[in-house]
């Protein structure tokens, strides 16, 4: 097919979801489209999941690059980095960037991700109050660590704990403020959460649990955080990790159907059949997404449909979580709460700091929480995803794959 006749694919968002979809498309139909990518950040696509090790000083920005500018050129992709799309005209089928570039599309892929939720308390717009989302946030944190002492992280979930660990590794005094009584309460049960808190406290992190932020204090820059009970603590840097919101303003302005996020079908198609969407900006069957495994699967399905090989359907599956804090082993997968008729298999070894809880429903494993010993996590996750009958393994299940293999 000659280049002039090729249809145009425009990708809005140069992050992991959009670029993984382009990779999947190129595998199946490398010459099908003229591809143009617009990204808000001034560089190629990098592994956002590994920002925590960059903050902790274990990796560099170069280490986490997935696609350098050379890769785009090699694949004939036009990249407009640092120039986000500000307008979509679905009638004319064009997008317009901040710098004024207009590109026509035959197919449009929205991969606009999410934005950190900045708790809207007085003082939230002060310099020194940031999210933890991209390379520039990491740069801001590293700069603060060189010149300031007190950091407050608001939100004791996965991202908050990774940010707190990184800032502490850079020499800051760090306090984590969490509204719940348990850390990582989305992924962990109470005993595992308590083990985690104890281990992090032993490293010097401080925690204020069930604490509600009332105000960020300061005039020219953040100087402290005041809580609903009237107490306050000093802060030179406040990192908000209290969740994200799907970034859908562009889609809404273009008149695409959105609820909490851009509503897509099983092919990742929006209500406009020319417009696809993947990643944290989408809502599929009422769910939104923040972990990488479901987003990779969305990319696989969407890439196939864009390639004209649309036999795949996106199906939501259980997902697993690991904490990227060196020296702390934690794994959580599936339904860790359980329901009516579910049973818990629990192993506790406080001296070795090992805790395992498996949630069993009938003859199937539906959830797992592992702390201290996590090497069997992927195996348990496999059992959950494949809905394997574990009746024969039940008495050995807590002791892991090797013992179950011997027993079988």
């Amino acid at each position: 097919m000659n280049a002039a006749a090729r249809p145009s694919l425009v990708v809005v968002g140069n992050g992991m979801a959009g670029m993984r979809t382009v990779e999947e498309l190129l595998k199946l139909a490398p010459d099908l489209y003229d591809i143009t990518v617009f990204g808000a950040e001034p560089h190629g696509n990098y592994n956002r999941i590994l920002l925590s090790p960059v903050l902790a000083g274990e990796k560099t920005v170069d280490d986490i690059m997935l696609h350098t500018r050379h890769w785009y050129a090699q694949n004939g992709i036009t990249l407009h980095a640092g120039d986000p799309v500000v307008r979509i005209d679905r009638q004319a089928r064009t997008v317009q960037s901040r710098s004024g570039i207009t590109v026509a599309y035959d197919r449009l892929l929205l991969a606009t991700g999410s934005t950190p939720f900045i708790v809207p308390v007085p003082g939230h717009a002060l310099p020194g109050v940031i999210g933890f989302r991209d390379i520039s946030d990491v740069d801001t944190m590293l700069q603060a660590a060189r010149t300031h002492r007190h950091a407050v992280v608001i939100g004791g979930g996965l991202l908050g704990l990774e940010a707190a660990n990184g800032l502490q590794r850079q020499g800051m005094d760090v306090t984590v403020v969490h509204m719940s009584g348990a850390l990582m309460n989305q992924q962990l049960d109470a005993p595992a959460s308590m083990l985690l808190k104890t281990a992090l406290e032993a490293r010097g992190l401080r925690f204020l649990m069930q604490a509600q932020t009332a105000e960020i204090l300061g005039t020219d820059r953040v100087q402290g955080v005041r809580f609903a009970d009237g107490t306050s603590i000093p802060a030179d840097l406040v990192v908000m990790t209290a969740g994200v919101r799907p970034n859908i303003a562009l889609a809404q302005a273009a008149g695409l159907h959105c609820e909490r996020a851009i509503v897509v079908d099983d092919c990742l198609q929006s209500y406009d059949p020319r417009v696809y969407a993947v990643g944290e900006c989408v809502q599929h069957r009422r769910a939104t997404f923040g972990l990488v495994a479901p987003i990779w699967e969305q990319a696989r399905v969407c890439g196939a449909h864009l390639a004209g090989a649309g036999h795949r359907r996106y199906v939501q599956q259980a997902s697993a979580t690991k904490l990227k804090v060196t020296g702390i082993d934690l794994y959580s997968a599936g339904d860790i709460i359980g329901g009516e008729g579910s049973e818990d298999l629990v192993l506790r070894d406080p001296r070795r700091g090992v805790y395992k809880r498996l949630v069993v429903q009938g003859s199937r494993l539906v959830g797992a929480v592992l702390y201290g010993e996590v090497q069997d996590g992927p195996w348990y996750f496999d059992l959950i995803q494949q809905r394997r009958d574990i009746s024969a393994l039940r008495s050995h299940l807590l002791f892991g794959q090797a013992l179950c293999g011997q027993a079988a």
Side-chain angles (χ1 to χ4, degrees):
M1 197 186 284
N2 75 49
R6 292 199 303 188
S8 160
L9 169 66
V10 172
V11 184
V12 180
N14 184 34
M16 292 169 75
M19 286 306 97
R20 182 64 170 240
T21 307
V22 169
E23 274 191 344
E24 295 286 348
L25 163 64
L26 293 175
K27 273 188 224 166
L28 296 168
D31 303 314
L32 184 56
Y33 294 98
D34 265 334
I35 302 174
T36 305
V37 177
F38 289 88
E41 293 183 68
H43 23 239
N45 168 40
Y46 59 91
N47 189 338
R48 206 178 288 282
I49 301 165
L50 294 179
L51 283 173
S52 301
V54 174
L55 177 62
E58 294 163 0
K59 287 188 183 299
T60 67
V61 168
D62 285 346
D63 292 338
I64 70 167
M65 277 292 157
L66 295 170
H67 300 111
T68 60
R69 285 176 182 272
H70 177 63
W71 178 86
Y72 296 85
Q74 235 179 351
N75 285 281
I77 296 167
T78 305
L79 172 65
H80 299 288
D83 191 16
V85 168
V86 293
R87 186 166 177 268
I88 298 166
D89 182 335
R90 283 168 49 226
Q91 274 62 50
R93 296 210 303 271
T94 59
V95 303
Q96 190 182 355
S97 77
R98 189 168 61 194
S99 74
I101 296 168
T102 299
V103 177
Y105 67 82
D106 295 291
R107 292 285 179 273
L108 181 64
L109 174 61
L110 300 180
T112 48
S114 62
T115 50
F117 175 61
I118 302 296
V119 184
V121 291
H124 72 271
L126 280 169
V129 180
I130 60 166
F132 181 17
R133 184 73 200 150
D134 55 32
I135 287 172
S136 72
D137 292 331
V138 172
D139 287 342
T140 302
M141 288 192 239
L142 292 174
Q143 183 61 40
R146 284 194 284 273
T147 52
H148 294 90
R149 183 161 166 223
H150 298 287
V152 173
V153 176
I154 297 177
L158 191 65
L159 197 60
L161 297 182
E162 290 180 2
N165 172 66
L167 289 167
Q168 194 206 22
R169 293 278 296 271
Q170 295 295 343
M172 292 192 88
D173 258 349
V174 186
T175 303
V176 177
V177 176
H178 195 43
M179 279 190 74
S180 160
L183 296 176
M184 286 183 65
N185 46 298
Q186 303 283 314
Q187 290 94 5
L188 299 184
D189 58 9
S193 172
M194 188 48 76
L195 280 169
L196 175 62
K197 180 168 176 278
T198 305
L200 291 172
E201 281 172 338
R203 294 173 165 217
L205 287 177
R206 279 193 296 279
F207 293 93
L208 291 176
M209 309 299 284
Q210 292 173 308
Q212 194 173 347
T213 305
E215 187 182 357
I216 312 283
L217 307 169
T219 43
D220 301 330
R221 185 189 166 88
V222 58
Q223 290 174 311
V225 178
R226 192 173 59 75
F227 302 103
D229 65 2
T231 60
S232 62
I233 56 173
D236 308 302
L237 175 73
V238 173
V239 183
M240 299 263 190
T241 57
V244 295
R245 297 286 180 273
N247 189 5
I248 58 172
L250 193 64
Q252 283 174 317
L256 287 168
H257 179 57
C258 298
E259 289 173 10
R260 273 184 308 153
I262 303 164
V263 177
V264 294
D265 64 12
D266 293 349
C267 311
L268 285 309
Q269 222 167 18
S270 74
Y271 275 49
D272 177 340
R274 288 181 181 272
V275 182
Y276 291 76
V278 290
E280 294 185 335
C281 64
V282 309
Q283 177 178 322
H284 172 263
R285 297 180 183 253
R286 310 207 71 74
T288 53
F289 307 88
L291 295 171
V292 77
I295 291 171
W296 275 181
E297 182 58 21
Q298 288 174 12
R300 211 170 67 89
V301 173
C302 186
H305 278 271
L306 285 167
H311 52 87
R312 292 176 175 150
R313 294 282 178 271
Y314 176 62
V315 179
Q316 290 175 33
Q317 292 182 313
S319 47
T321 303
K322 278 183 85 162
L323 181 68
K324 286 175 291 303
V325 171
T326 308
I328 290 184
D329 293 318
L330 184 61
Y331 191 95
S332 165
D335 173 9
I336 64 155
I337 296 159
E340 201 176 320
S342 71
E343 298 170 87
D344 291 353
L345 310 180
V346 180
L347 180 149
R348 276 193 182 89
D349 186 345
R351 182 168 293 179
R352 289 196 308 133
V354 172
Y355 171 80
K356 298 182 183 182
R357 175 165 155 264
L358 304 178
V359 183
V360 176
Q361 186 95 40
S363 61
R364 292 197 171 84
L365 181 65
V366 295
V369 178
L370 312 177
Y371 184 93
E373 249 180 36
V374 298
Q375 65 273 22
D376 284 307
W379 179 65
Y380 288 132
F381 185 46
D382 227 27
L383 294 178
I384 294 167
Q385 282 199 303
Q386 292 173 10
R387 299 175 56 75
R388 283 245 324 261
D389 185 328
I390 51 104
S391 310
L393 309 174
R394 189 187 163 101
S395 58
H396 296 84
L397 200 59
L398 273 171
F399 304 103
Q401 183 175 11
L403 213 65
C404 284
Q406 289 166 25

